[in-house]
Amino acid sequence: MFSKKQLAILISAMSVSTFAQADNFQRIASWSTTHNLPTGTKVDQETSAEIITASKDGQKIIYTDSPLSGLGFINISNAHQPTAAGFVSLEGEPTSVSVTKTHAITAVNTSESYTKPTGYLAAVSLKDQKITSRCDLGGQPDSVAVSPDMSFVATAIENERDEDLNDGAMPQYPAGGLIITPINNDTLDCDNQKIVSLTGLADVAPSDPEPEFVAINDNNEIVITLQENNHLAIVDGDTGKLLNHFSAGSVDLYNVDLDEERALTFDGVQLNRKREPDSVKWIDNDRFVTANEGDFEGGSRSFTIFHKDGRVMYESGLDFEYRVAMAGHYPEKRSGNKGVEPEGLEVATFGDDTYLFILAERSSIIGVYKDTGSDPEFIQLLPSGLSPESAIAIPNRNLIVSANETDLIQDGGVRAHVMVYKLANQPSLYPQIQSVMQNDKPIGWGALSGLVADDKKEGIFYAVNDSFYRSQPQIFTIDSNQVPAKIITATPITRDGTPAQKLDQEGITLDGNGGFWIASEGRTDRLVPHALYNVNAKGEIKKEIPFPSELLAVEKRFGSEGITRIGDTLWIAIQRSWKDDAKNTVKLVSYNIKSKEWGAVTYPTESADKGWVGLSEITVHGDWVYVVERDNQIGEAAKIKRLYKVAKSEMVPGKLGSPLPIVTKEMVRDFIPDLASLNGFVTDKLEGFAIDKTGQAYALTDNDGVDDSSGETMFFKAGNY
């Protein structure tokens, strides 16, 4: 996909720190939609923030909430502390929203079925949040946009197909189209709507256009994406005349991950892949950018800049996907579909610079590029909440706001969020860790768990990934002397020359001979053994030590979560209580490498008000053994993310099966301020902690392989010891 010149530029750019002092966007606030529930709504009701816009003065945010069938309003007069500003219930599912000076204009889907699509357009007063005018649309709407001069509203009538009917094959009627609704005196002029037919244009299902997204330039020209038809059309918004139309085209992809085998391989080839663009935004009056999410037969994992005459001015290829992968946000479970799936877009001019914001819904990240008139310049990646669907820029306040639609309340996870970012002359703070290009491909990574420091090299650490990447267990070498920290190598864990199976790496420590000991958390129901593995510097497993029968007799699912070494003795932190443990206690298990004796001490944990509290790391430094203790809560419910220390002199193991000595712990650090420092929600999985030869400690979070996760990995300094 890349020319040699493009590849050289990419590799060179990724070798330069993104933390240099310059104009960068920084997340300054995260706001949960649960703060805006209508009166009488239970807190466990699913909510969402899908399509977002802002009042013209930039003081108020409006978002669509499909599960609650309404529009939410947020006061951002203090952008650092958003507050709820009301909720308007609608008769149907809102699909999009835009604004005039006085009203929010929203499209609402009221369809009875795929074959009987209906919907309406409504104007909601920003002053009193009442519907002041409403127009029938005669079909199922998707995107809406108000023209810059606020003279009309363009609505994409999608009339989406039934994906379960004939495997979603097209055509499926009725066909979609475009409706242009005039605005007169802040009122929707339903009687003078223009209905623009888009049939007969595309090469793909020409009789069944499915318009997806609309955008309008300063000339009142409307660009429409017909995603499933892989087509684009330009319409004069004043007259309804079709000005131009053309195929969105296709690309050839090389070195792309196409299999969901729980490994990041980037070795596939996908030829003639249709772009199938979703969202679209004008950059100026001649050029627009598309996010090529794909739907039916395509998805090029890219964004493309088109001229309105049909010329491709720029194709990002895999530039964006590779940058996402190097930041640890690649969604492996979407490899067989469309990878990072760029879906949402925003384009805005801040001062003299025009920025493109590329939203990757499945990767939960936003790419920021600067328009140059030719190839855009990559600026930074922004961490977002779960599944960013849309964004709105507020240049007069140097703000951009994203809507993150996924609500995991049914799984006990994080809620839907709106996130606020501000542009300022400041270093970028994310990512805190990223990989590099190697052999023209990114080192893919994610789900980092255990962490250990090199005993000779300052600032060098080693981390392992857990069983999310069960087909690709690896040891990652991290250089924290660079900013951001860099994953510079990935060493495969092998058994007999092939990737080792049946591992769930949760802890790593040095073996004193140039290799490592790795603790693997077992799952007996999945035939994954509870065991310790001695691995050499090449990643080859040289020795396997299964847990003894005394331990297995009392096992539960949650086993090894960390490992450290004191002389000839390995110490393993067991995450949660097993069958013979008293309430609010866990074992620190010992194994003497020379005598082959097992033992343990009892470690007292904090009690949990909700969920559970357990251990996730253990490391020795000086006269102390440090233990990470955490609850399994996320966001506002997170209470315990702490570092404790135990005197090394107390680590005298008792015999398994007999009463064990209880160690005394002392709290060292509360990690919650660290985990909240990027102004996102507090993650649940603080999994790694290690101290280098100078006494500098780092902590690490696990992003769960970007599976029902924001994908954010934090790697931060955690004190000197």
Side-chain angles (χ1 to χ4, degrees), residues 87-146:
F87 192 91
V88 175
S89 295
L90 300 166
E91 298 173 3
E93 173 198 7
T95 61
S96 185
V97 64
S98 188
V99 293
T100 67
K101 288 183 179 179
T102 59
H103 286 74
I105 310 298
T106 184
V108 183
N109 177 19
T110 57
S111 300
E112 174 186 330
S113 66
Y114 291 107
T115 57
K116 297 179 180 180
T118 58
Y120 66 90
L121 195 65
V124 179
S125 170
L126 296 178
K127 184 177 181 180
D128 59 15
Q129 297 180 4
K130 295 185 182 301
I131 296 176
T132 61
S133 58
R134 169 173 163 168
C135 297
D136 180 65
L137 292 172
Q140 174 254 311
D142 194 331
S143 167
V144 299
V146 173

Side-chain angles (χ1 to χ4, degrees), residues 203-440:
D203 293 329
V204 178
S207 63
D208 183 22
E210 289 193 23
E212 190 85 15
F213 213 94
V214 291
I216 309 170
N217 66 13
D218 290 336
N219 293 334
N220 281 352
E221 295 169 331
I222 306 167
V223 58
I224 310 110
T225 60
L226 288 72
Q227 184 175 29
E228 290 80 0
N229 310 91
N230 196 40
H231 211 74
L232 296 155
I234 314 291
V235 171
D236 186 323
D238 295 324
T239 66
K241 178 183 177 182
L242 179 68
L243 299 175
N244 197 13
H245 69 92
F246 44 89
S247 170
S250 62
V251 298
D252 294 335
L253 299 174
Y254 300 92
N255 287 341
V256 63
D257 193 341
L258 298 176
D259 297 315
E260 297 171 15
E261 78 277 42
R262 298 297 185 91
L264 300 175
T265 52
F266 304 107
D267 58 2
V269 175
Q270 202 166 47
L271 302 180
N272 198 32
R273 184 72 168 177
K274 295 174 182 175
R275 289 189 173 95
E276 291 189 348
D278 186 334
S279 56
V280 61
K281 294 286 183 179
W282 288 94
I283 300 173
D284 51 35
N285 287 332
D286 294 318
R287 298 174 301 142
F288 56 83
V289 59
T290 63
N292 305 322
E293 176 207 23
D295 187 287
F296 188 41
E297 296 177 339
S300 61
R301 309 174 182 229
S302 66
F303 64 94
T304 308
I305 297 175
F306 290 92
H307 192 280
K308 64 184 179 183
D309 64 11
R311 286 177 292 157
V312 172
M313 309 301 288
Y314 172 78
E315 166 59 43
S316 73
L318 294 173
D319 178 90
F320 181 51
E321 177 153 293
Y322 278 9
R323 292 182 188 278
V324 170
M326 285 185 277
H329 278 257
Y330 182 83
E332 164 60 12
K333 280 192 172 182
R334 301 298 297 178
S335 289
N337 292 278
K338 293 155 287 191
V340 298
E341 294 188 36
E343 180 172 7
L345 286 170
E346 175 62 315
V347 175
T349 299
F350 292 76
D352 295 328
D353 297 317
T354 298
Y355 292 92
L356 316 180
F357 301 89
I358 317 298
L359 283 67
E361 179 188 12
R362 301 290 183 171
S363 302
S364 295
I365 202 163
I366 301 172
V368 183
Y369 290 75
K370 186 184 294 184
D371 178 43
T372 67
S374 56
D375 291 1
E377 173 192 353
F378 173 76
I379 300 299
Q380 65 182 127
L381 294 173
L382 296 175
S384 192
L386 205 61
S387 305
E389 179 77 10
S390 65
I392 184 69
I394 309 174
N396 64 340
R397 299 186 64 194
N398 281 336
L399 300 177
I400 182 163
V401 185
S402 70
N404 303 277
E405 66 173 341
T406 297
D407 187 334
L408 294 177
I409 181 59
Q410 300 303 321
D411 298 323
V414 73
R415 310 302 300 270
H417 274 74
V418 169
M419 295 190 171
V420 185
Y421 308 82
K422 188 175 182 67
L423 178 67
N425 188 254
Q426 59 192 351
S428 172
L429 297 182
Y430 194 85
Q432 295 182 329
I433 181 172
Q434 64 184 33
S435 68
V436 298
M437 295 287 288
Q438 192 173 76
N439 300 322
D440 297 344

Side-chain angles (χ1 to χ4, degrees), residues 158 300 693:
E158 182 180 17
S300 61
K693 60 175 295 185

Side-chain angles (χ1 to χ4, degrees), residues 517-520 529-534 543-552 559-560 562-564 568-574 578 587-601 651-661:
W517 282 98
I518 292 172
S520 179
H530 296 276
L532 309 178
Y533 296 88
N534 191 203
K543 189 180 297 184
E544 177 178 348
I545 310 295
F547 272 21
S549 58
E550 299 96 321
L551 271 179
L552 296 179
S560 303
I563 186 171
T564 194
D568 294 327
T569 300
L570 298 173
W571 285 93
I572 304 98
I574 303 300
W578 280 15
K587 293 184 183 69
L588 301 179
V589 172
S590 67
Y591 175 73
N592 188 282
I593 300 166
K594 289 189 174 180
S595 69
K596 301 182 180 180
E597 292 179 304
W598 291 85
V601 297
M651 302 293 284
V652 180
K655 184 178 180 181
L656 294 175
S658 63
L660 300 175

